[in-house]
Amino acid sequence: MLQARDEHGRLVKKPQASAISAMVANLGRGNAFVIVERVDEELESDWYVQVLLRDDNTYQLEFRDGTAAEHYQTRTISQDKVIDALSGWAESREGWKGAFMWNNIGDWFENAD
């Protein structure tokens, strides 16, 4: 099952693009992140995309494809690109990550798995 949550604890099950868009639009101090994740008790790995609104008003976007070795990060100033990426990931839309240059940060989490 797909779910989205924010720092305030708002949880949306099976979020549509409109819900993801509203959650990103409501980011600010005290509510700085949104995580969209696949929750399945049978999966041993983590599958998610998340965004953090940084203090400099840039968006730090990350996704994880199952294992720590497959954890990527990028930054942008475009809220629209963030919404497109989160919605595209949630919908399994091909090319959702194409608007960014992603850096593999898996080595940051070497001992996490």
Side-chain angles (χ1 to χ4, degrees):
M1 177 181 63
L2 196 65
Q3 68 181 28
R5 60 187 164 90
D6 64 15
E7 188 172 5
H8 282 160
R10 178 177 178 214
L11 178 67
V12 178
K13 294 181 179 180
K14 299 180 184 176
Q16 301 295 314
S18 58
I20 292 171
S21 179
M23 291 175 87
V24 172
N26 286 320
L27 291 177
R29 293 191 191 276
N31 188 39
F33 67 80
V34 172
I35 301 170
V36 182
E37 59 189 332
R38 298 198 193 292
V39 179
D40 186 340
E41 293 177 12
E42 296 178 14
L43 291 178
E44 294 182 20
S45 302
D46 294 323
W47 303 85
Y48 59 83
V49 64
Q50 61 188 11
V51 63
L52 170 69
L53 179 60
R54 298 172 59 94
D55 288 339
D56 63 1
N57 288 320
T58 62
Y59 296 94
Q60 180 176 308
L61 191 59
E62 297 181 14
F63 75 93
R64 183 169 170 153
D65 273 346
T67 67
E70 297 298 321
H71 196 126
Y72 299 88
Q73 180 184 84
T74 192
R75 287 180 67 179
T76 185
I77 59 169
S78 173
Q79 185 181 79
D80 290 337
K81 284 184 178 181
V82 168
I83 292 167
D84 285 345
L86 269 65
S87 298
W89 183 90
E91 297 168 359
S92 300
R93 197 179 325 130
E94 210 165 301
W96 68 266
K97 55 187 168 186
F100 302 101
M101 292 192 61
W102 296 91
N103 298 305
N104 185 314
I105 58 170
D107 58 338
W108 295 2
F109 307 98
E110 270 182 11
N111 298 319
D113 281 344

